[in-house]
Amino acid sequence: MLSNEVVITAQICQIKRGGLFQSNESSTWQSVGFFELGLDPQLGFGDYGDYGYDNIALDDQTSVPSQIIGVINSTDYWLGFLGLGVKPTNFTSQDKPTFLDSIVENQSLVPSHSYGYTAGAYYRLKTVPSSLTIGGYDANRFDPHNISFNLDPNQNPVVSLVDIIVTTAALPTSNISTGWSSNSLTLSETGDAEFYTIDSSTPYLWLPKTICARFEEALGLNYDEALQLYTFDTGSPQHEILKNWNMTFNFVIADLPGSSRTVSISLPYAAFDLQLSYPFPGLNATASSSAINYFPLRKAANSTQNTIGRAFLQESYLIVDYERNNFSVHQATFATDAITNNKLIDITRPENSTFAGPDDSGHSVLGKSALAGITVGLVLILAIIVAFWLCLRQRRRHLLMEGMSDKLRDGSIKKASSIKNRFLGWLSNRSNRDYLVEVAGSSYFATEAPTGLEVTELPGSTMSELPGGNTEIGNLESADQKSPRGNIIVPVGHNPKKPVELQDQSSLGRFFEPEKDLRTSPTPLATYSPCCLERQDTHDTKVPSKSSGEMNDVSSQSSTPIFSPLTPEKMEKPALARIKQDRGAFALVADRVRYHVGGRETLAQERSAEIPNPDSGFQEGPRKFNWEEDR
């Protein structure tokens, strides 16, 4: 049975470490085995870890599968680590991708192998949290500049530490007693410049022993050999004295020793005013013991241990771009809304990058909510465009029907070439024949081009053939002969050796005929020539009887005219047509004539003419049109 002290110790250990990972409770854990840890061996950390593969969740919606995880069962490590390096790991002979490789190359979650990081500052405002941006940086968390450094051959951010200068606002008496000659003191000079690795896995400043000795003298620090840290004894006044000095530590770093391109990062004393508490490794304390104040400074045994840890990153912002092989260090800024007020900037891939980039055909960088919003927006835009097009199309048809009579009377239907009509034509994918056009006409004949919208003659029972000239009727075929679609063919003056064809009046809904058959008309038709409009003699014309094939006389009295919907108001009678008998067999339609000449089917265009006033000496009666051959 576990004692209460052990249970409390376990709870404190879990809480202060930010939680524990239990691999045996994970349903996706795949064990690989125990291997030696590779965490900061130059700093003396060792031990073994139980390695395996599992999923790493970045938030509730984003999870990276099959990542390498090492379970550490040791108190030598206070916190866990999230590796952001790019060097692959292998347990056998096959390299496994790093976490950064997986989210860039496999899942396409971020645009490049890069990140921005600051450790946060608990002593600023009401505690400013840390910030990690993968694939870019948060521009609201630092002061920008244009100085960058190169990564070392192992792709680590390594800088040259030029100077460390500590200053106070005023020089108290207590400063003089510790050897301060002024309110500014140099702790590391230019001649001491060495290379230091910026590493967030350790909280300390690992400095050469000579520089550590200057810190001891200037600040009155005591070194604890057991903990290998500078601590303050309980009840010692030195901790309060240092706090009252209001000190600022200024770190000057460069890419190389002697470089003029330097960056200065300032840290207040509060960034180094830290505490140790149970169960910190090696600390002689219990769960009820008070915390001990300490200064996060460690003595480096050699240059390989020269490290600038998390204490420095509380007041600085680190941006690493592996694909350009560079990094930059900036002065961190703090705001009360640091969590919500973000300005995330992508770090894009260079054209000459040696890293594999995101898979464009893979997962989308956009989240589900963003994709849903884009989809809804596109649907709304499409609906608005369709509604706008339908309204304009309906209005266009309405205006077309209202203005058709005036346009026909003026004979000036012009091509609609405005931008609106072009846009509508493009939306509906309609050809140019759907537009109103103007064709060549004459001073005597009003010409109309087919638009597919015109209405011509009123419906009738059958096709009627108009009387011919003074030509005797030749050999006739049976009037009961039917066209392939059932229309009656009435060949007048037809040569039986030539084919007869009648345009199917039902094929286009706009072809209409007079209601009454000319054979029952009580008056003969007065004939006019549309060329010279001279009076011509009228003749009684015989047409074959529908039932017996005999010839019937056409009376000289015309019936009441039937007006076409397209006939202008000033035209009192319908326009009919005379079929020329020397052109072969004709088939009459409303706006075109289809006929055969020598076995070849040809179309004739309709020509209409203004008819002079009857008072000028011409007989008023049905008007005729000449049907000219369109060869």
Side-chain angles (χ1 to χ4, degrees):
M1 181 177 179
L2 297 176
S3 64
N4 291 336
E5 184 177 355
V6 173
V7 173
I8 294 174
T9 300
Q11 292 176 347
I12 294 175
C13 179
Q14 180 174 350
I15 293 172
K16 290 194 173 183
R17 281 179 162 86
L20 301 177
F21 172 70
Q22 304 291 343
S23 61
N24 59 337
E25 296 180 3
S26 174
S27 61
T28 55
W29 172 260
Q30 302 176 27
S31 179
V32 175
F34 284 87
F35 291 86
E36 185 177 3
L37 296 174
L39 298 174
D40 296 328
Q42 74 279 5
L43 300 180
F45 295 109
D47 221 324
Y48 289 83
D50 181 12
Y51 279 90
Y53 302 109
D54 209 335
N55 302 336
I56 295 180
L58 300 178
D59 53 33
D60 295 336
Q61 297 180 348
T62 307
S63 178
V64 185
S66 300
Q67 296 303 297
I68 299 175
I69 296 177
V71 180
I72 305 173
N73 187 16
S74 172
T75 57
D76 291 339
Y77 298 91
W78 181 250
L79 297 175
F81 308 101
L82 176 63
L84 294 177
V86 292
K87 294 183 64 175
T89 300
N90 65 76
F91 298 107
T92 56
S93 60
Q94 183 179 4
D95 290 340
K96 295 295 182 180
T98 66
F99 173 76
L100 203 55
D101 291 337
S102 297
I103 63 177
V104 175
E105 302 170 17
N106 299 340
Q107 290 195 297
S108 303
L109 296 176
V110 296
S112 65
H113 298 75
S114 59
Y115 67 87
Y117 172 73
T118 182
Y122 75 94
Y123 50 87
R124 292 281 191 177
L125 304 175
K126 295 181 178 180
T127 303
V128 178
S130 61
S131 172
L132 172 62
T133 304
I134 303 176
Y137 54 87
D138 186 354
N140 284 348
R141 298 299 298 266
F142 63 90
D143 291 329
H145 59 70
N146 60 355
I147 299 176
S148 63
F149 307 139
N150 293 320
L151 297 171
D152 77 342
N154 293 321
Q155 295 181 302
N156 294 319
V158 175
V159 298
S160 174
L161 183 57
V162 179
D163 288 314
I164 302 176
I165 301 174
V166 58
T167 60
T168 62
L171 185 62
T173 305
S174 56
N175 286 70
I176 300 175
S177 63
T178 55
W180 288 55
S181 59
S182 66
N183 64 341
S184 178
L185 189 64
T186 299
L187 301 177
S188 174
E189 300 178 349
T190 304
D192 300 325
E194 294 186 26
F195 289 111
Y196 292 77
T197 301
I198 299 177
D199 187 354
S200 62
S201 65
T202 178
Y204 314 118
L205 300 178
W206 294 74
L207 304 180
K209 294 179 181 180
T210 56
I211 298 178
C212 290
R214 294 172 190 165
F215 271 87
E216 292 178 16
E217 182 181 358
L219 304 179
L221 303 177
N222 294 319
Y223 188 72
D224 189 323
E225 293 291 345
L227 296 175
Q228 296 184 354
L229 290 173
Y230 290 92
T231 62
F232 297 94
D233 295 334
T234 302
S236 171
Q238 189 61 26
H239 175 257
E240 293 297 324
I241 292 174
L242 295 178
K243 289 177 63 177
N244 295 332
W245 282 0
N246 192 20
M247 292 182 291
T248 299
F249 295 82
N250 191 39
F251 287 71
V252 180
I253 58 177
D255 191 24
L256 296 172
S259 174
S260 60
R261 292 173 60 84
T262 60
V263 175
S264 179
I265 304 296
S266 298
L267 290 84
Y269 175 76
F272 301 102
D273 187 11
L274 305 179
Q275 291 184 332
L276 297 175
S277 61
Y278 178 86
F280 184 83
L283 182 64
N284 185 17
T286 63
S288 58
S289 300
S290 300
I292 299 176
N293 297 311
Y294 82 102
F295 193 93
L297 180 63
R298 295 287 295 265
K299 295 179 180 180
N302 50 60
S303 61
T304 61
Q305 289 187 332
N306 291 345
T307 305
I308 300 176
R310 282 197 308 275
F312 175 80
L313 290 171
Q314 293 177 109
E315 294 287 328
S316 61
Y317 193 94
L318 174 65
I319 301 176
V320 177
D321 184 355
Y322 289 110
E323 302 196 27
R324 291 176 176 81
N325 196 50
N326 63 26
F327 69 99
S328 58
V329 183
H330 303 260
Q331 185 72 53
T333 59
F334 306 96
T336 56
D337 57 349
I339 296 178
T340 57
N341 186 17
N342 308 126
K343 186 179 180 181
L344 303 184
I345 306 298
D346 290 345
I347 296 179
T348 59
R349 302 181 68 245
E351 295 181 357
N352 60 344
S353 176
T354 59
F355 289 79
D359 184 4
D360 295 336
S361 61
H363 296 78
S364 172
V365 178
L366 297 175
K368 295 180 179 179
S369 58
L371 292 175
I374 292 175
T375 303
V376 172
L378 291 176
V379 171
L380 290 176
I381 292 174
L382 181 60
I384 293 173
I385 292 176
V386 171
F388 176 73
W389 174 75
L390 290 175
C391 290
L392 290 180
R393 187 168 181 263
Q394 186 68 22
R395 178 175 176 80
R396 180 173 175 266
R397 285 187 175 183
H398 179 71
L399 295 176
L400 179 65
M401 297 304 295
E402 287 184 351
M404 183 61 71
S405 297
D406 294 336
K407 292 181 179 180
L408 288 176
R409 185 182 300 112
D410 296 337
S412 59
I413 300 178
K414 298 182 178 179
K415 180 178 180 180
S417 59
S418 64
I419 297 177
K420 181 187 74 175
N421 285 340
R422 293 177 183 172
F423 178 68
L424 293 176
W426 173 78
L427 284 178
S428 59
N429 196 22
R430 300 172 64 186
S431 61
N432 290 334
R433 62 181 179 84
D434 293 330
Y435 298 117
L436 295 176
V437 297
E438 181 179 3
V439 298
S442 68
S443 59
Y444 292 97
F445 304 101
T447 306
E448 180 182 359
T451 65
L453 303 175
E454 62 269 39
V455 180
T456 55
E457 298 292 342
L458 297 177
S461 58
T462 61
M463 243 354 203
S464 299
E465 183 173 87
L466 301 181
N470 300 329
T471 305
E472 294 183 1
I473 303 300
N475 296 329
L476 302 176
E477 296 184 19
S478 173
D480 292 333
Q481 180 181 355
K482 298 287 185 176
S483 68
R485 301 199 181 187
N487 295 316
I488 297 177
I489 300 176
V490 185
V492 179
H494 168 62
N495 185 346
K497 296 182 179 180
K498 297 183 179 180
V500 178
E501 179 183 343
L502 179 65
Q503 177 73 24
D504 186 359
Q505 67 178 13
S506 63
S507 61
L508 293 175
R510 64 178 183 270
F511 295 157
F512 301 92
E513 304 161 293
E515 289 185 351
K516 293 188 178 183
D517 197 325
L518 292 177
R519 292 170 294 177
T520 61
S521 176
T523 59
L525 299 175
T527 59
Y528 294 91
S529 171
C531 297
C532 56
L533 299 178
E534 293 181 355
R535 173 133 179 218
Q536 299 180 1
D537 295 335
T538 60
H539 301 273
D540 289 343
T541 305
K542 293 187 178 183
V543 296
S545 172
K546 180 177 181 181
S547 58
S548 61
E550 297 178 355
M551 304 300 295
N552 293 335
D553 292 336
V554 179
S555 173
S556 61
Q557 299 295 327
S558 63
S559 61
T560 304
I562 301 173
F563 290 94
S564 166
L566 292 183
T567 304
E569 296 178 359
K570 294 182 180 180
M571 298 177 66
E572 300 178 355
K573 295 181 176 59
L576 302 180
R578 185 185 68 178
I579 300 177
K580 295 182 180 181
Q581 298 169 344
D582 57 349
R583 294 292 187 182
F586 287 71
L588 176 64
V589 294
D591 63 349
R592 288 177 180 251
V593 173
R594 187 183 301 275
Y595 61 92
H596 287 270
V597 180
R600 179 172 63 87
E601 182 178 272
T602 311
L603 294 178
Q605 293 185 349
E606 178 184 10
R607 295 290 186 268
S608 60
E610 291 289 338
I611 306 304
N613 193 309
D615 297 338
S616 61
F618 296 98
Q619 178 183 352
E620 181 181 3
R623 287 155 285 183
K624 292 187 178 181
F625 290 78
N626 225 7
W627 300 83
E628 298 179 356
E629 181 180 352
D630 183 12
R631 293 187 182 275

